[in-house]
Amino acid sequence: MKTGGELLIECLEAQDVDRVFCVPGESYLAVLDALHDSKIETVVARQEGGAAMMAEADGKMTGRPGICFATRGPGATNAASGVHVAKQDSTPMIMFVGQIGRRMRGREAFQEVDYRQTFGDLAKWVDEIDHIDRIPEVISHAYHIAMSGRPGPVVIALPEDMLTEVCDVKTGPRVDVAEPAPTSGAIESLASLLEGAKNPFLVLGGSRWTKQAVDQVQAFSEKWGLPVGCSFRRQQLFDHLHPNYAGDVGLGINPALKKRLEDSDLVILLGARFSENPSQGFSLFDIPKPKQKLVHIHSGAEELGRIYVPDLSINATPGAFLTEMNKITAAAKAKSADAEHSAYRAWTDELPETPGGVQMGAVMSRLREDLPEDAILTNGAGNYAIWLHRFWRFRQFGTQLAPTSGSMGYGLPAAVAAKLRNPEKEVICFAGDGCFQMTMQEFGTAVQFGAKLIVLLIDNGVYGTIRMHQEREYPARISATDLQNPDFAMLAKAYDGYSETVLKSEEFGPALERARASGKAALIHIKTDPEAITPTTTLTALRNG
Ligand SMILES: Cc1ncc(C[n+]2csc(CCOP(=O)(O)OP(=O)(O)O)c2C)c(N)n1
Ligand SMILES: [Mg+2]
């Protein structure tokens, strides 16, 4: 006989779960007790938003649901931020939430929340397990939903008294989901569209990618001479130094790339949904029918035609599509993507000069020289991220963790999960002073679990992105965008991390070297001038219109 908590953990073991992220709560003590005797590593975070973002990042990296446990009520609502990231990023994730005893339901008992209502819009599926013998069925169902079609988060509530009941029930088998694949007719139609196209363009995005699919997409682009763009925060899908790479189709797009996309006669969206940021505020292509011929390939059938009506819809994962597509011999001679790649290089080769003692251009150029190709870079939201998105050369799959939802605070928890999953790789978290303070307590989690990541904290003393918009819309009327910050280097030391403060560009390189050699979780506190609000403009220039 086993308790509901024990059965639940056995079910997760049967899914090959090796790590869960949580903040403990009395509502699910029976689960915590079962974890005590399990081989599963339990990573204790400091706030449920951090735990949920760690689980989301783990799901992004493995392609299987990242697992998070949160307590009822306030624990669950804190965790909502990570659930929302998983939703917008199409990441498989399961969040388990403690729930009040079944007999108290509906009385607004202590920390009672109706999870179906609360997470109805954030999660792909929400359920509550009322009968202990249905635990294996619900876990199996949750895995199928989280991973299949367009992946996403699932929330499962666990009534406290159900978890302490006992039963004699077996776990279910490990879940692997179906991979939708293209029909041969669809592949032939695409080949003939490609043969007839003068200016085709390929945009990559979404989830359900693998290293193999990323290799295959390179071969696909070479065979047909396709220029390739990566949608917002999906840059790890194509080697930026490949001669077919044309740049990122996101916020702050290269104007030459935007024009090139508009001038295309055939656009192929592979895995991407072309949401607000890549579509330039839904302005790049006409809705519902773009004037360009559109081919949309997505693993979720419901996404095909949701916003843009394609000329050809293909319901397939990137890997299944590319396996079939690459079997075709291109009849037409491969075109050249030289012009597009040159435009990308012209947009990113030279690092602009900006005001202040520390030039972010110098920081980026040092990182380009020093970091290995397989270093994992993480970020949240803020203008500091522009430097990373525009000037870092992503080379490999599995090197980027960034929320398309623009969720501040994501970079640090994502870096914790990344370093635990890839202890041999370098993990660099980019964070602004505002962004970092949303989840900075997870630096303690990094230290406790030996995640030796490096935070580059770009401290300009302002919520820069919002100040930028503010100066543009309401010049010289500063409202709620100034920050009085702590000494971040001292803070990292208090956590027993390694830290330094950098006030001049030339100090950055040596500080990075020492941080890498420190053998500790590290933080480099980089003080920048708020005037340097973007790589190409200043606050004063914005204020003066
Ligand atoms: C959770 C969350 N809250 C608020 C915002 C709105 N927001 C976007 S960027 C930003 C400022 C980021 O400031 P900082 O991290 O200091 O970066 P900077 O822009 O100064 O480089 C804010 C408040 C958001 N995207 N996410
Ligand atoms: Mg800032």
Side-chain angles (χ1 to χ4, degrees), residues 11 14-17 62-65 92 139-149 172-180 208 210 317:
C11 287
Q15 300 302 330
D16 293 331
V17 170
T62 64
R64 294 185 63 82
I139 300 292
S140 177
H141 193 168
Y143 264 76
H144 276 97
I145 292 196
M147 291 195 292
S148 62
R174 179 186 146 106
V175 172
D176 285 296
V177 296
E179 269 213 40
R208 296 195 76 171
T210 58
T317 60

Side-chain angles (χ1 to χ4, degrees), residues 35-248:
L35 282 165
H36 181 270
D37 297 328
S38 163
K39 284 204 263 325
I40 295 176
E41 181 185 23
T42 306
V43 176
V44 184
R46 304 307 190 251
Q47 208 260 18
E48 292 82 357
M53 288 178 197
M54 288 175 202
E56 193 280 342
D58 205 38
K60 261 197 187 107
M61 288 181 284
T62 64
R64 294 185 63 82
I67 305 292
C68 166
F69 281 93
T71 200
R72 58 199 175 192
T77 49
N78 275 349
S81 52
V83 176
H84 182 247
V85 174
K87 166 89 182 268
Q88 294 226 305
D89 274 359
S90 311
T91 307
M93 168 181 171
I94 302 176
M95 178 169 85
F96 293 99
V97 197
Q99 175 60 305
I100 54 152
R102 289 164 289 185
R103 290 192 56 227
M104 299 185 184
R105 203 179 279 147
R107 292 178 180 163
E108 198 179 330
F110 180 58
Q111 301 180 336
E112 180 177 358
V113 162
D114 179 335
Y115 297 102
R116 288 190 180 88
Q117 286 208 53
T118 307
F119 286 95
D121 184 48
L122 291 185
K124 211 176 152 188
W125 183 51
V126 187
D127 199 20
E128 190 154 318
I129 309 182
D130 274 337
H131 304 283
I132 185 171
D133 52 335
R134 289 191 62 186
I135 289 176
E137 173 196 335
V138 175
I139 300 292
S140 177
H141 193 168
Y143 264 76
H144 276 97
I145 292 196
M147 291 195 292
S148 62
R150 176 185 169 195
V154 168
V155 174
I156 305 290
L158 307 167
E160 193 178 344
D161 55 333
M162 183 280 293
L163 289 175
T164 52
E165 269 180 13
V166 289
C167 70
D168 183 17
V169 174
K170 287 199 176 50
T171 65
R174 179 186 146 106
V175 172
D176 285 296
V177 296
E179 269 213 40
T183 61
S184 53
I187 294 292
E188 280 160 27
S189 304
L190 176 52
S192 69
L193 283 172
L194 276 166
E195 271 156 29
K198 288 199 184 64
N199 295 312
F201 196 96
L202 175 62
V203 180
L204 313 177
S207 66
R208 296 195 76 171
W209 284 86
T210 58
K211 181 182 178 311
Q212 194 195 1
V214 165
D215 292 343
Q216 287 170 314
V217 84
Q218 199 162 305
F220 174 49
S221 76
E222 286 162 9
K223 185 184 280 184
W224 296 90
L226 291 170
V228 182
C230 292
S231 76
F232 184 54
R233 294 184 168 171
R234 289 291 180 269
Q235 290 163 275
Q236 58 161 351
L237 298 179
F238 206 82
D239 178 356
H240 287 24
L241 294 183
H242 187 282
N244 288 33
Y245 186 61
D248 74 299

